Amino acid sequence: QTEKESLPYKVFSTKYFPLGSVFEAKCSTRSFAWQSLLKARHVIEKGMMWRVGDGTQIRVFHDKWIPRCFSNGAIPHIPGFEDDSTVSSLINQTTMEWNGELIDFKVAPFMAQQIKAIPLCRSVMRDCLVWPRTRDGNYSVKTGYQLLGELENRGEALGSNSSNLRSFWKGIWKMRIPNKIKNFYWRACTESLPTLANLHRHNVVNSPVCNSCDLNRETVLHALWECDQIQSCWGRGFNRVRQAQMQLGS
């Protein structure tokens, strides 16, 4: 039987989230079992990602679905696409293959390569959430603890818990610059700056779209690097450096 056919799922879903999923459920009971499940929910949210089926349930710009691509596994907003566009808009619905021409035209080369490398099934399959740290895609307590350990060791900074990353942060902290600059670096790398995308996620502002270019979501990456309106801040070498970055990514 599947997880949704199991007795625990039927009991909890009927009582606590009859119209949604466990990720939208509220802690409105004194049940120790239910409270324990909700306390572990944030671990699953940090580590899970979507496996692409027909792409109809995955939001292109908000959900984690691209392996090894940005901190949240989503991509910056693409001009010409709605903010709530789903991955199905990037798939040829006749052949059930990636629309390579559209992706190459709209998406930066390094991201396009990652997207087109995601395997698709020729038959119609629903999208599903998986735990990428296990072979079968199911969550395990062991890998959950491993993820928590990694997040704690790196302070939830971007990247892996590697010697290169540790050397990078040691170099940052040893730099002879004001502490406020070091703090800015850390907040930028952990996606903690008050960008419009972050403020919108917390319902502080109505729109996450960048006020400077009025095209893309204002993430940290967009605000500090991708937005064309910041060229004057970076100087004459801005375009040359950005083109070199895209070539390395491809």
Side-chain angles (χ1 to χ4, degrees):
Q1 64 177 6
T2 65
E3 290 81 357
K4 291 189 176 182
E5 294 174 343
S6 65
L7 179 60
Y9 181 88
K10 290 181 177 180
V11 172
F12 284 123
S13 63
T14 301
K15 189 171 184 179
Y16 299 120
F17 51 97
L19 301 178
S21 73
V22 66
F23 298 105
E24 291 89 39
K26 305 295 183 181
C27 184
S28 57
T29 178
R30 293 183 178 181
S31 167
F32 176 78
W34 180 241
Q35 290 181 5
S36 298
L37 287 174
L38 292 188
K39 286 181 179 179
R41 180 171 56 181
H42 76 283
V43 180
I44 299 175
E45 288 179 318
K46 288 181 180 297
M48 70 182 185
M49 70 177 300
W50 283 93
R51 178 177 291 164
V52 181
D54 56 14
T56 57
Q57 299 182 71
I58 308 172
R59 299 173 300 170
V60 176
F61 311 116
H62 300 284
D63 293 330
K64 186 176 181 179
W65 62 282
I66 308 176
R68 302 175 298 280
C69 189
F70 298 111
S71 59
N72 62 350
I75 63 176
H77 191 271
I78 303 173
F81 282 77
E82 298 294 332
D83 187 59
D84 59 351
S85 295
T86 60
V87 173
S88 60
S89 61
L90 302 176
I91 299 175
N92 185 318
Q93 298 300 316
T94 302
T95 62
M96 289 307 294
E97 296 177 344
W98 292 111
N99 188 334
E101 183 177 352
L102 174 65
I103 294 172
D104 289 336
F105 180 71
K106 292 287 189 178
V107 184
F110 72 98
M111 286 189 292
Q113 183 179 20
Q114 294 283 357
I115 293 173
K116 292 186 293 184
I118 299 174
L120 295 177
C121 184
R122 295 296 178 89
S123 59
V124 178
M125 292 185 63
R126 293 179 62 84
D127 306 313
C128 64
L129 286 168
V130 298
W131 185 257
R133 292 171 171 265
T134 57
R135 291 184 177 181
D136 61 3
N138 292 321
Y139 174 82
S140 71
V141 175
K142 178 181 178 180
T143 55
Y145 273 112
Q146 289 175 349
L147 173 61
L148 286 175
E150 292 174 10
L151 293 175
E152 182 178 357
N153 289 338
R154 70 179 187 234
E156 295 194 39
L158 298 182
S160 63
N161 189 24
S162 63
S163 59
N164 289 336
L165 183 63
R166 290 194 295 270
S167 297
F168 168 78
W169 283 112
K170 285 181 180 179
I172 292 294
W173 304 135
K174 290 180 179 179
M175 292 177 67
R176 295 182 179 180
I177 57 176
N179 287 331
K180 63 180 181 181
I181 303 299
K182 297 178 183 178
N183 181 265
F184 180 85
Y185 284 165
W186 179 81
R187 295 184 68 190
C189 290
T190 55
E191 194 70 26
S192 301
L193 294 175
T195 60
L196 291 179
N198 283 336
L199 294 175
H200 181 260
R201 186 165 61 248
H202 294 286
N203 298 317
V204 177
V205 297
N206 294 325
S207 172
V209 178
C210 175
N211 290 328
S212 297
C213 66
D214 202 29
L215 292 173
N216 301 315
R217 295 174 68 247
E218 191 193 67
T219 61
V220 170
L221 183 64
H222 178 80
L224 300 181
W225 184 249
E226 292 183 337
C227 183
D228 290 334
Q229 301 302 316
I230 65 171
Q231 292 189 34
S232 58
C233 298
W234 285 101
R236 295 180 179 178
F238 175 80
N239 285 329
R240 178 171 53 81
V241 174
R242 191 158 70 169
Q243 288 173 3
Q245 178 211 24
M246 294 177 66
Q247 290 174 358
L248 288 173
S250 63

